[in-house]
Amino acid sequence: MIVLKSKAEVAKIAAAGAIVADCLDMLAAAVEPGVKTNRLDRLAEAFVRDRGGEPTFLGYRGFPASICASPNDVVVHGIPGVHAVREGDILSIDAGVTLDGYVADSALTVAVGAIDAQARRLMDVTQASLEAAIGQCRVGHRLGDVSHAVQMVVEKAGFSVVRSLVGHGVGREMHEDPQIPNFGEAGRGPRLEEGMVFALEPMVNVGGWDVFVADDGWTIHTSDSSLSAHFEHTVAVSEAGPQVLTRRRSEKAA
Ligand code: MG
Ligand code: MG
């Protein structure tokens, strides 16, 4: 069942979302060659707590950190650790914040120093596919329109959409109904209504869409070791159009 949120609830998710957005901007600015992902994790936890929030991921089903840090061929759910990123890497960072009982969830992929043209294009296409999905979050559209929008952008660019991982409803819990695949048929699925709040999160691979879970039980890699990017926003459906609740200041400026 898709739980609809009142305007007051959407405002609370937006307050959590503002912390997520600023946290991700802070982390993106801290990424440089040689930075260890556990340093980013400590920065994130301190930032979120300082703003009065709780890092939603910490302890979630036993997850040991406040962010996911997923370099290169890691799609999502990378555990921060002593791994240092290197010039030319890409790094996906995912963060969730709980504030006053409400949750927002967002992610981005950042370049570590100078990256090659294909990595840049992968990031740009993934971000564009997220924006296409956001554009479909309108009252009366269908969930399949959102999924289809991602798939079209990604496959037109010659990349592939991860099939086994999905976006989700969000707000009172981190993961709520519905599941939101990043592929699908337009015109199918539930009709979108005012008060639905979604975490839209295309995960896009340069190579094939197949992935596997590492022995740590969390880290998800591309099966062909190709690069993967991940962008995510928490978005409310409203009569006024899509409301992005995790928009970063760096995006507004861009
Ligand atoms: Mg996330
Ligand atoms: Mg999510």
Side-chain angles (χ1 to χ4, degrees), residues 5-18 99 102 236 243 245:
K5 281 82 180 181
S6 68
K7 283 200 162 61
E9 289 183 291
V10 170
K12 288 186 173 189
I13 300 166
L99 181 72
Y102 287 83
Q243 278 183 274
L245 307 180

Side-chain angles (χ1 to χ4, degrees), residues 105 168 199 201 232:
D105 186 10
H168 49 93
E201 49 179 319
E232 178 179 27

Side-chain angles (χ1 to χ4, degrees), residues 31-35 71-72 83-90 111-115:
V31 169
E32 59 182 10
V35 166
N72 297 328
H83 174 81
V85 295
R86 296 187 303 185
E87 177 93 19
D89 285 352
I90 61 173
V112 183
I115 60 172

Side-chain angles (χ1 to χ4, degrees), residues 33-234:
V35 166
K36 294 187 172 76
T37 53
N38 61 8
R39 169 164 171 73
L40 299 174
D41 181 55
R42 287 193 296 270
L43 288 171
E45 181 174 2
F47 185 94
V48 169
R49 293 197 191 283
D50 186 58
R51 292 273 293 261
E54 291 281 327
T56 313
F57 297 0
L58 187 61
Y60 182 85
R61 295 184 183 166
F63 191 76
S66 296
I67 60 170
C68 300
S70 306
N72 297 328
D73 69 310
V74 179
V75 179
V76 285
H77 302 170
I79 300 173
V82 296
H83 174 81
V85 295
R86 296 187 303 185
E87 177 93 19
D89 285 352
I90 61 173
L91 179 68
S92 299
I93 305 171
D94 195 343
V97 167
T98 306
L99 181 72
D100 199 13
Y102 287 83
V103 180
D105 186 10
S106 185
L108 83 174
T109 301
V110 296
V112 183
I115 60 172
D116 68 28
Q118 188 180 57
R120 173 61 59 192
R121 198 168 75 87
L122 174 69
M123 290 169 54
D124 289 348
V125 166
T126 307
Q127 192 162 21
S129 74
L130 172 58
E131 293 303 323
I134 290 167
Q136 294 298 322
C137 289
R138 295 177 182 281
V139 172
H141 286 205
R142 290 189 185 264
L143 198 60
D145 300 336
V146 177
S147 300
H148 184 72
V150 174
Q151 184 179 14
M152 285 298 101
V153 171
V154 170
E155 294 185 352
K156 195 174 159 203
F159 297 138
S160 66
V161 160
V162 174
R163 303 293 171 115
S164 57
L165 297 160
V166 296
H168 49 93
V170 66
R172 296 184 192 171
E173 308 285 341
M174 182 158 65
H175 293 124
E176 302 179 1
D177 288 341
Q179 295 198 345
I180 309 171
N182 291 303
F183 63 99
E185 285 182 51
R188 304 290 285 270
R191 252 184 220 293
L192 305 190
E193 296 175 40
E194 168 104 23
M196 291 183 177
V197 181
F198 301 140
L200 305 176
E201 49 179 319
M203 291 153 268
V204 177
N205 301 345
V206 166
W209 49 261
D210 195 39
V211 299
F212 70 94
V213 185
D215 289 342
D216 62 21
W218 284 105
T219 311
I220 296 180
H221 296 263
T222 57
S223 293
D224 59 10
S225 300
S226 68
L227 287 182
S228 186
H230 179 214
F231 284 84
E232 178 179 27
H233 272 308
T234 294

